[in-house]
Amino acid sequence: MSDNSKIVLELKNVTQIFAESGVRACHDISMQVQGSEILAVMGENGAGKSTLMFLISGFMEPGRGEILCRGGKNPADLRALVGMVHQKPLLAGDLSVLENIILGPEKGLFRKDVLKEEIAAVQERYNLPLDLHLKAKQLTAPQIQRCELIRALWKNKELLILDEPTASLSTTQSEELFELLLRLKGEGKTVIFISHKIHEVMKVADRIAVIRRGELQGIDAKGNLSPREISRLMIGEDTLPGEEPAAEKRGEIDRTGVPVLELSNLGYSETGTRRLDSINLSLYPGEILGMGGIRENGLTHVEDILCGLEQPDTGFILLNGKNRMPLTPLKLRRSGISYIPADRLKRGAAPESTLAENLSVLKRQAGFGSYRKRLFSWAGQFISDHAIKGEAKQKVKTLSGGNIQKMIVARELENNPPLLIVSEPSWGLDFKSRDRLHSQLVQAREEGIAILLLTTDLDELLSLSDRICVLTEGRLTEIERTEEQWNRYYIGEKMTGADRA
Amino acid sequence: MILAIFGSATPLILAALGGLLTERAGILNIALEGMILGSAFAAVIVGGMTGSLALAVLAAIGAGVLAALLFNLGTFTLKGNPFITGLGINVLVPALTVSISQSLYGNQGIIRPDGLSGISRIGGMDIFIPLALLLAVLLQIIFFRTRKGLIIRSCGEQEDLLRARGINPVSIKKEMVIYSGLFSGLAGAALSLGLGVYVPGMSAGKGWIALVAIYLGYRKVPGVVAACLLFSLAEWGANRAQGFLGVPPTLILSFPYFMTMAALWLFSVKKRKKVDCSGGFRVN
Amino acid sequence: MKKFRIPAALPVLALCLGVSALIIFLFSSAPGETLYYFFPAVLSNRLYTGEMLNTMVLLSLTGLGIVLSFRAGSFNLGGEGQVYTGAICAVLAARLLPDLPGALGIPVLLAAGVLGGALLAFISGILKALWNVDDLISTFLLSSGVSKVIDYLISGPLSDPDSYLMTTVPLPEKYRLASLMIPSPFNISFILPLLLLPLFHWFLNHTRQGYELQITGSSSSFARHSGLNTGIYQTLPLTVSGALHGLAGALVLTGTYFAGIQGLTSGLGWNGIAVALIAGNKVPGLLPAALFFAWITQGSRIAVLHSDLSLELGAIIQGVLFLLISSAVLRIKIRRGR
């Protein structure tokens, strides 16, 4: 390693809170980025990595704390220093590659031929072939990434940030990228790359920083961290009070009949990349099947497909043995299937409407006379029965998040559905509510309801599920009920990909 | 004949070019119609009072820019829906012209100040024609050879990209709206000064046709100019062949709307067929 | 005890009125007189008052149509065309069925108007439900296009050869709604808003479908996942909105002009939107809002005739309201997200 005494960037007590949502994206982060190194930043989705990158690249100023570079705190210096390669494609489709590269706030005319030569030289030097005349909308995801890389190198950026760079790359392409990164390091550049794939990080990074819930959990040289430790830092060691022992399940579940839900060879692609591949699962009445993973790994897509919003490219979805594709939300409701979504305020509730209205859509109050009167009196009863803290005529947006979830759960369980799809149920809930919700789910299971639990919360997965499967990079792996597999560490590593390191 | 077609296409071209600027920046300027009308009015009033071509044109531009500022106020500062803001201007302008016309001239109808006719002709040709073509060429150069042009072109497509490069897309949009006000000002002046008269409602849907021309011309300068000429030609042809073709000119007035509707429909159908990552919805 | 909330449009209106009064004082040679013509003169005789009341009736109908579409999350910008279509359908019905007795004929003409307006709006509704075509733009475009077609019909095939105006042949006497306040056009149609407004208010606020309609309007994603038939809730309200506009058009024909004159809509569609906004997007507010708007429109008309200052106050207020419509100022949120 050359010149590791030079510090290129320093963060001191950086904190960023988003006022509108109250989300604490970064909390008191202090770290140094050294010259000529490759630093990997790891963490689960929502851990705060992206916000941190916005701060480092100078597009946001930290609420508290400071970011120092080139001897000062000027964000303009940061913007000049840092070149970012984004995770999601960020090019103007109608413009050519060349035009996308040179787009910037400078003024005046430009000499096309001169710039073309300059850029071509950069491409030549780093072996990044790409036809500059292609329109950006014709590019594949790896090519788009390449375009952003070329720009960063053409602009002689000292610090490069790559956000999940291998998400759309093949193994060979990833290898090529890593070679490039090592070479850049050799030239004195600094690289920060965000990843949740431990095995990749172990290959190419010098130091690794782990962020969890907005806080820096640890930053150390690769040699000092094992994949297990990294995984543990990413997922956390919380032991929650009142966690039900996983062993206390009742007798064998009857799996001889027709499964309530069956996914057969499900596949799904998005922007040319295969997000879900060969997904097979069967769910029977009276059991909770937990599907764990990290959101980027496909859980969102599974949820969207199961609620009827997206359609898979391949495979079948069978409800009670019958192929019910294409699934739509209406079809699901007609079959009596309940859905507790992760996106509560968009899919699960109507924030501008009253509590009573939010509850009403599943329970039609038949009869004559004013629907309004019947609705509100029924709702009042329901609310007090389920101890929801709110009034029937209150607008849902004024209720606390926990109460909103309480309402949604109470509503969805009310009609004794044969199948319940529930996603991230205890996200954002306090311990008491979380416990209560878990008991409700267990109770539902006792009554014979089949439950598919999609969650990124490892503890929830373990304490509730009868069976567990893990979704990693689009593929499903079943976890066996053995000493070796049925525990936090094994499952955690499967979720983060540490086991492949 | 060619001159006549170019002459009648000129206001269209000017307005369409202004509309193209905003459209590429991501804002569809519905207020073109009102801007043209207001500018035509201002040109005639000031031209009638001062007898000066230059002042009349300046007044027209001023009216257009004023309307543009209102548009920006409603759309960006007050965060309104741009379509509705545009409609607001289209409603406001005729009302204001009527009031002003009433108090200045005592009537709400045609205004024909003396000596205004032919004021914009120099050497037998309406100066607005070469002006329009010159601006078209200029715009093309700007779009493809200047950095500003790149910025405009990407603003309508990928705002986040601009933000990532340190450019504020909202200020670009606001700027383009002002330019469209300027261009509409020229269009209005071309319209009324060429005839030397202001007729209430003389914009006659040209603002809408300009929008159709933008899409018909595939949102490119040469295409837009060609589309405007095409419309002008069609209008000329319809007037000549009224007896033969059997399609009355009044009916033709409906075509721009139906065409835009058809285009909107096709566009929406196409959009639905594409894979939509955020989850398009299907009819239950 | 119910809290009385000031409709958010009031400050805007007050401002407009204030500025207009100022303009009158500054520019009119006889400001006191002009002010008189603008406001109190409306009630000065039966003609003016009757005209104003007639306009109020019509505006409350189109305003109702707009509120209905707003509640369902749509924006019916095609009111003008729907009114026009309603009128022309009534004209056609009169031509096709000239031999009905008046008591039957008039309802038939009105029904024809309702169907015409409904059909036009229905197209936009279907386009939205099937292909997610923006209803705001499609209602506007279709309405504008159809209006031009109707203009052509009136000046061409349906034109009255005996008249020097652009109009169709006048309706036979039996198909006309008799005036209750001669010489104004105010007629028995005033019963319609008195019946329809409470009906729709009850529908929106006291029936299950009404509630579901409003939920679809405010949170379409939630509505979809709750299994509501969002297709219907997106198409039907728009269609009914068109029907109401068509009804207004047929009423204009049978009650006000008695012939299909070009331009008989005189802004009913646009003014309906203004009225809906002034009413705070609530049905009970429609009558006072319609009264207000009809009053100032009538006032402007009188002032034009008698004074030297012409102020198209109605149009100006409308324009200003449009400019402010989606802004926080009016506090009316129309959910346009998908």
Side-chain angles (χ1 to χ4, degrees):
Chain A
M1 291 193 205
S2 53
D3 203 1
N4 51 3
S5 55
K6 179 177 93 171
I7 293 179
V8 161
L9 190 75
E10 184 167 359
L11 279 77
K12 282 188 175 167
N13 306 104
V14 169
T15 303
Q16 184 76 326
I17 302 181
F18 289 117
E20 319 90 54
S21 45
V23 169
R24 199 180 67 170
C26 297
H27 183 68
D28 206 32
I29 297 187
S30 298
M31 65 188 216
Q32 296 175 336
V33 179
Q34 296 166 352
S36 299
E37 75 162 342
I38 298 182
L39 172 68
V41 174
M42 306 201 61
E44 295 179 294
N45 196 38
K49 312 181 296 263
S50 304
T51 313
L52 191 61
M53 294 308 119
F54 276 123
L55 292 168
I56 291 181
S57 54
F59 284 105
M60 246 193 241
E61 287 196 43
R64 260 179 282 164
E66 40 189 44
I67 304 181
L68 304 161
C69 79
R70 291 185 181 163
K73 292 194 279 178
N74 191 347
D77 283 341
L78 277 177
R79 287 201 288 272
L81 176 73
V82 174
M84 185 135 169
V85 177
H86 299 87
Q87 184 181 10
K88 290 230 169 88
L90 204 62
L91 295 179
D94 250 359
L95 270 58
S96 70
V97 173
L98 177 69
E99 292 171 325
N100 268 288
I101 291 177
I102 63 182
L103 180 68
E106 307 93 345
K107 302 215 183 289
L109 297 155
F110 59 85
R111 301 290 322 275
K112 214 173 183 179
D113 34 353
V114 167
L115 292 173
K116 224 195 286 190
E117 269 183 41
E118 277 181 32
I119 296 176
V122 170
Q123 288 182 283
E124 177 79 36
R125 186 165 158 204
Y126 293 105
N127 191 22
L128 293 169
L130 187 61
D131 185 353
L132 294 175
H133 293 111
L134 285 177
K135 296 260 180 225
K137 61 186 169 199
Q138 299 169 292
L139 298 181
T140 63
Q143 286 176 317
I144 293 176
Q145 192 191 77
R146 182 164 285 189
C147 180
E148 297 200 304
L149 253 178
I150 296 175
R151 174 182 162 86
L153 294 170
W154 172 61
K155 288 246 157 202
N156 286 316
K157 301 281 184 183
E158 273 181 52
L159 176 64
L160 271 76
I161 302 181
L162 288 86
D163 193 345
E164 302 283 359
T166 58
S168 346
L169 297 183
S170 70
T171 328
T172 334
Q173 290 168 325
S174 302
E175 295 289 328
E176 286 175 6
L177 180 66
F178 294 147
E179 274 176 36
L180 177 64
L181 295 182
L182 287 168
R183 177 176 167 179
L184 291 174
K185 178 180 105 176
E187 289 182 4
K189 295 200 196 283
T190 312
V191 175
I192 298 180
F193 85 97
I194 300 178
S195 177
H196 62 281
K197 301 182 187 175
I198 297 184
H199 61 278
E200 283 185 353
V201 162
M202 296 304 281
K203 222 187 289 194
V204 81
D206 298 319
R207 289 196 303 152
I208 302 174
V210 179
I211 310 229
R212 184 167 169 260
R213 302 211 177 142
E215 296 180 9
L216 184 62
Q217 302 292 313
I219 177 168
D220 210 342
K222 172 170 66 178
N224 300 338
L225 290 169
S226 75
R228 294 218 139 165
E229 284 177 271
I230 297 174
S231 182
R232 246 170 264 180
L233 287 171
M234 274 174 71
I235 287 186
E237 282 274 24
D238 307 307
T239 40
L240 302 160
E243 187 182 318
E244 304 107 276
E248 194 178 333
K249 305 279 187 231
R250 52 167 182 58
E252 275 301 305
I253 295 157
D254 180 13
R255 296 207 180 88
T256 54
V258 175
V260 175
L261 172 68
E262 186 176 342
L263 301 181
S264 170
N265 207 27
L266 221 57
Y268 179 73
S269 297
E270 183 196 54
T271 63
T273 320
R274 200 121 185 87
R275 301 283 177 201
L276 292 176
D277 201 24
S278 316
I279 306 285
N280 290 292
L281 68 81
S282 311
L283 181 63
Y284 293 88
E287 68 169 347
I288 298 182
L289 174 58
M291 188 186 293
I294 297 183
R295 291 308 295 191
E296 287 117 345
N297 270 328
L299 271 185
T300 346
H301 300 295
V302 171
E303 185 180 346
D304 285 347
I305 288 178
L306 284 176
C307 77
L309 224 43
E310 282 294 339
Q311 301 303 324
D313 305 328
T314 56
F316 299 101
I317 302 174
L318 300 156
L319 296 173
N320 281 317
K322 285 199 261 220
N323 181 356
R324 301 301 306 279
M325 290 169 67
L327 279 186
T328 66
L330 185 61
K331 247 190 226 178
L332 287 164
R333 284 292 173 199
R334 292 257 165 88
S335 314
I337 295 173
S338 285
Y339 171 39
I340 298 176
D343 190 351
R344 295 170 201 161
L345 288 181
K346 261 255 209 81
R347 297 188 194 175
E352 295 291 330
S353 306
T354 62
L355 193 46
E357 287 167 289
N358 270 268
L359 293 167
S360 77
V361 282
L362 288 186
K363 226 168 173 24
R364 294 153 179 224
Q365 322 302 319
F368 297 110
S370 168
Y371 174 74
R372 180 197 181 85
K373 282 211 196 76
R374 281 180 278 123
L375 173 65
F376 277 85
S377 77
W378 169 84
Q381 187 64 44
F382 190 93
I383 290 170
S384 71
D385 285 345
H386 294 265
I388 301 173
K389 286 208 187 68
E391 306 242 327
K393 47 179 176 296
Q394 218 178 320
K395 284 209 177 165
V396 161
K397 66 181 175 188
T398 59
L399 277 101
S400 71
N403 262 310
I404 297 179
Q405 182 69 324
K406 218 193 218 181
M407 168 205 54
I408 298 176
V409 172
R411 182 188 71 204
E412 297 295 314
L413 288 177
E414 176 70 8
N415 284 332
N416 277 322
L419 171 64
L420 172 68
I421 300 168
V422 47
S423 176
E424 311 290 355
S426 46
W427 182 82
L429 293 185
D430 59 277
F431 288 140
K432 237 183 25 173
S433 311
R434 184 192 156 100
D435 276 353
R436 197 179 315 124
L437 191 140
H438 284 182
S439 328
Q440 279 178 297
L441 290 175
V442 171
Q443 171 78 14
R445 180 197 68 179
E446 297 300 315
E447 290 171 7
I449 301 178
I451 301 180
L452 180 62
L453 170 69
L454 304 169
T455 179
T456 55
D457 185 328
L458 197 45
D459 302 296
E460 183 169 61
L461 196 62
L462 276 168
S463 70
L464 287 180
S465 314
D466 296 309
R467 284 191 293 144
I468 294 182
C469 54
V470 175
L471 193 61
T472 320
E473 288 180 20
R475 285 173 184 265
L476 210 57
T477 326
E478 174 127 9
I479 304 289
E480 288 160 30
R481 267 192 179 268
T482 60
E483 277 276 331
E484 184 208 335
Q485 293 195 6
W486 196 274
N487 59 68
R488 306 192 90 243
Y489 306 112
Y490 184 82
I491 298 177
E493 282 167 20
K494 265 255 174 294
M495 277 166 68
T496 58
D499 58 323
R500 289 171 54 192
Chain B
M1 168 202 133
I2 303 258
L3 217 54
I5 293 183
F6 267 89
S8 78
T10 298
L12 258 184
I13 294 177
L14 287 166
L17 288 177
L20 184 64
L21 277 173
T22 66
E23 203 283 338
R24 292 291 248 174
I27 289 275
L28 196 59
N29 187 354
I30 304 294
L32 286 179
E33 185 75 17
M35 286 178 178
I36 296 175
L37 192 68
S39 312
F41 183 71
V44 165
I45 301 270
V46 172
M49 287 199 287
T50 65
S52 149
L53 174 65
L55 284 178
V57 172
L58 259 146
I61 293 180
V65 170
L66 188 63
L69 286 171
L70 263 179
F71 185 91
N72 279 344
L73 176 71
T75 308
F76 298 111
T77 318
L78 294 176
K79 308 247 192 320
N81 179 320
F83 197 93
I84 301 177
T85 318
L87 278 177
I89 293 182
N90 286 348
V91 167
L92 212 48
V93 166
L96 290 175
T97 57
V98 160
S99 302
I100 298 177
S101 153
Q102 171 79 1
S103 53
L104 284 182
Y105 290 96
N107 80 24
Q108 298 181 16
I110 299 178
I111 299 174
R112 193 196 293 266
D114 305 318
L116 198 59
S117 178
I119 193 178
S120 59
R121 276 176 206 283
I122 296 181
M125 184 173 71
D126 197 332
I127 56 153
F128 284 107
I129 300 181
L131 182 65
L133 295 173
L134 194 69
L135 283 174
V137 172
L138 192 67
L139 216 58
Q140 182 72 343
I141 296 178
I142 291 179
F143 271 146
F144 287 99
R145 292 226 159 257
T146 63
R147 294 187 177 275
K148 197 54 176 288
L150 289 185
I151 294 176
I152 299 172
R153 283 159 63 206
S154 50
C155 191
E157 277 214 58
Q158 190 66 276
E159 282 183 32
D160 289 330
L161 177 61
L162 288 183
R163 288 201 187 92
R165 302 277 167 100
I167 304 167
N168 183 357
V170 174
S171 41
I172 302 290
K173 289 183 185 177
K174 283 166 93 161
E175 203 186 317
M176 291 306 117
V177 170
I178 307 258
Y179 276 116
S180 78
L182 197 156
F183 275 79
S184 304
L186 290 173
L191 193 60
S192 62
L193 292 180
L195 296 167
V197 69
Y198 170 78
V199 180
M202 75 186 301
S203 51
K206 287 211 163 47
W208 291 100
I209 299 183
L211 290 177
V212 178
I214 293 174
Y215 286 104
L216 208 60
Y218 278 87
R219 302 162 77 228
K220 296 188 203 304
V221 174
V224 170
V225 174
C228 290
L229 288 171
L230 195 68
F231 277 116
S232 202
L233 180 66
E235 198 182 12
W236 179 89
N239 283 328
R240 287 282 174 284
Q242 205 172 336
F244 302 124
L245 282 179
V247 180
T250 352
L251 203 52
I252 293 184
L253 284 175
S254 68
F255 288 1
Y257 300 108
F258 288 136
M259 282 195 285
T260 316
M261 180 74 248
L264 179 65
W265 181 21
L266 288 173
F267 176 73
S268 302
V269 173
K270 228 174 76 160
K271 218 165 147 201
R272 281 274 242 153
K273 291 215 179 117
K274 274 202 218 155
V275 173
D276 188 352
C277 333
S278 57
F281 68 85
R282 320 221 179 270
V283 178
N284 296 316
Chain C
M1 165 127 134
K2 260 209 204 149
K3 261 201 283 186
F4 182 68
R5 251 202 254 131
I6 303 175
L10 277 188
V12 175
L13 292 181
L15 185 67
C16 287
L17 289 176
V19 171
S20 312
L22 189 65
I23 295 181
I24 292 176
F25 268 111
L26 288 176
F27 289 106
S28 168
S29 53
E33 227 179 273
T34 310
L35 266 178
Y36 167 76
Y37 289 126
F38 254 102
F39 300 110
V42 172
L43 291 180
S44 61
N45 64 42
R46 304 190 81 198
L47 173 64
Y48 291 155
T49 312
E51 275 182 348
M52 191 265 293
L53 288 174
N54 188 40
T55 311
M56 176 180 162
V57 166
L58 295 169
L59 281 180
S60 57
L61 288 175
T62 55
L64 179 63
I66 299 294
V67 170
L68 185 65
S69 78
F70 272 167
R71 285 305 169 100
S74 310
F75 201 141
N76 183 1
L77 218 55
E80 282 296 305
Q82 287 150 21
V83 169
Y84 214 7
T85 307
I88 212 68
C89 285
V91 166
L92 290 172
R95 276 172 79 111
L96 289 174
L97 303 166
D99 301 317
L100 295 172
L104 185 57
I106 293 181
V108 167
L109 259 58
L110 294 182
V114 166
L115 280 175
L119 191 63
L120 188 56
F122 177 72
I123 299 177
S124 288
I126 279 287
L127 286 177
K128 176 173 175 181
L130 288 181
W131 291 290
N132 204 13
V133 175
D134 192 78
D135 46 300
L136 187 153
I137 301 182
S138 74
T139 50
F140 177 82
L141 290 176
L142 283 174
S143 143
S144 305
V146 166
S147 293
K148 300 282 183 271
V149 172
I150 298 179
D151 277 341
Y152 155 70
L153 287 175
I154 293 179
S155 61
L158 295 178
S159 151
D160 181 2
D162 297 327
S163 169
Y164 59 89
L165 284 175
M166 289 293 196
T167 175
T168 65
V169 177
L171 284 180
E173 202 52 54
K174 58 175 175 170
Y175 284 163
R176 303 186 189 188
L177 288 167
S179 166
L180 292 175
M181 218 188 235
I182 302 177
S184 81
F186 180 66
N187 55 60
I188 199 172
S189 63
F190 77 90
I191 289 195
L192 284 170
L194 290 179
L195 286 176
L196 289 174
L197 259 63
L199 183 72
F200 275 95
H201 182 73
W202 182 80
F203 169 74
L204 280 177
N205 293 307
H206 291 269
T207 64
R208 167 161 74 89
Q209 287 79 357
Y211 270 99
E212 291 183 353
L213 185 148
Q214 294 187 74
I215 291 182
T216 311
S218 68
S219 311
S220 63
S221 199
F222 168 70
R224 206 176 311 127
H225 285 280
S226 305
L228 293 183
N229 194 336
T230 47
I232 291 203
Y233 284 121
Q234 276 163 348
T235 323
L236 208 51
L238 206 52
T239 310
V240 174
S241 180
L244 285 166
H245 283 84
L247 177 62
L251 284 173
V252 169
L253 181 73
T254 55
T256 313
Y257 291 115
F258 312 121
I261 303 181
Q262 243 182 24
L264 54 63
T265 58
S266 46
L268 265 181
W270 299 121
N271 299 344
I273 300 179
V275 165
L277 293 178
I278 297 174
N281 203 24
K282 295 198 205 310
V283 176
L286 281 173
L287 278 178
L291 175 64
F292 172 80
F293 205 88
W295 191 301
I296 55 167
T297 314
Q298 185 71 345
S300 306
R301 229 179 277 153
I302 301 174
V304 165
L305 290 174
H306 296 266
S307 82
D308 59 344
L309 187 69
S310 154
L311 204 60
E312 295 260 329
L313 195 49
I316 291 177
I317 288 189
Q318 201 187 122
V320 172
L321 278 176
F322 270 36
L323 280 172
L324 301 177
I325 180 178
S326 311
S327 75
V329 176
L330 280 185
R331 273 184 263 138
I332 292 180
K333 291 210 180 189
I334 306 163
R335 302 262 152 219
R336 298 201 53 81
R338 302 268 175 252

